[in-house]
Amino acid sequence: RGVNSVLCATLHAVATPPRGGLTQALGGMETSTRRPILYGIAASILAAPTAFFLYSVVSELSQGPIDLAGLAIGAIAIYYFGVMISSPLALAVGLPYTLWLKQRGRLNWFAVCSAATLAGLLAFIGIWFLSFQLYQPLATFAFLGVLAGLLSGIAFCAVVRPNNSFKPTPHRGVGHV
């Protein structure tokens, strides 16, 4: 009987596909908690490109009639590069960070938005260095990075709606009269 249970456990371990990556990282979380975080990551990835696209539309409108072909090409370029930059950053830095905050009960607007702002700043400074500083001064890229990061953090928080209530943990012995 002992050999059969060991054999069954071994066969089960071999036959069951391994859980890895995102599934394993989110595995211990309830579906009701996991889904908003994934939707929040998706919103944060699209937030900055959408804002930059809307800015380009408004600036085009202020200059007269809109060239739809140019606007479409601009939209493709903005979303392509925006998602190409924000996706790895959101998945490699943002998702683990928010899961870490969630696990410790510290997922709030300030923590998310400040970290997203810092990540955006550092990413755009890196882009500035990689572009050989040809296009704009560093201050412009730094401002765009802060703006993109902050917008991404706000988009994440708007979807996830992290808990902002203050629930202090009493010290040992407090509350016992």
Side-chain angles (χ1 to χ4, degrees):
R1 187 171 144 160
V3 173
N4 281 340
S5 52
V6 170
L7 182 62
C8 287
T10 304
L11 288 174
H12 178 72
V14 171
T16 305
R19 293 177 13 158
L22 186 59
T23 305
Q24 186 175 8
L26 296 173
M29 300 176 73
E30 298 175 14
T31 304
S32 62
T33 304
R34 180 179 12 191
R35 188 169 293 130
I37 288 179
L38 294 178
Y39 289 159
I41 292 293
S44 72
I45 289 171
L46 294 174
T50 301
F52 291 140
F53 174 69
L54 292 175
Y55 173 77
S56 70
V57 168
V58 169
S59 65
E60 285 288 322
L61 283 173
S62 68
Q63 296 177 3
I66 294 181
D67 174 26
L68 291 179
L71 190 63
I73 291 171
I76 290 170
I78 288 171
Y79 276 98
Y80 177 75
F81 288 111
V83 170
M84 194 169 72
I85 292 166
S86 61
S87 293
L89 197 58
L91 294 173
V93 177
L95 182 61
Y97 178 68
T98 55
L99 292 175
W100 179 75
L101 288 173
K102 179 76 174 167
Q103 182 182 16
R104 282 158 181 70
R106 304 218 185 265
L107 185 62
N108 59 43
W109 287 76
F110 179 75
V112 170
C113 289
S114 59
T117 302
L118 179 63
L121 172 67
L122 295 176
F124 272 68
I125 287 174
I127 292 168
W128 183 78
F129 278 112
L130 291 175
S131 70
F132 303 108
Q133 305 87 28
L134 297 175
Y135 303 111
Q136 299 289 331
L138 177 61
T140 302
F141 266 72
F143 173 74
L144 290 174
V146 165
L147 184 64
L150 183 60
L151 288 172
S152 295
I154 290 170
F156 177 87
C157 290
V159 171
V160 174
R161 300 190 185 274
N163 187 3
N164 288 330
S165 64
F166 178 69
K167 298 176 186 170
T169 305
H171 296 291
R172 195 179 334 197
V174 174
H176 298 291
V177 182

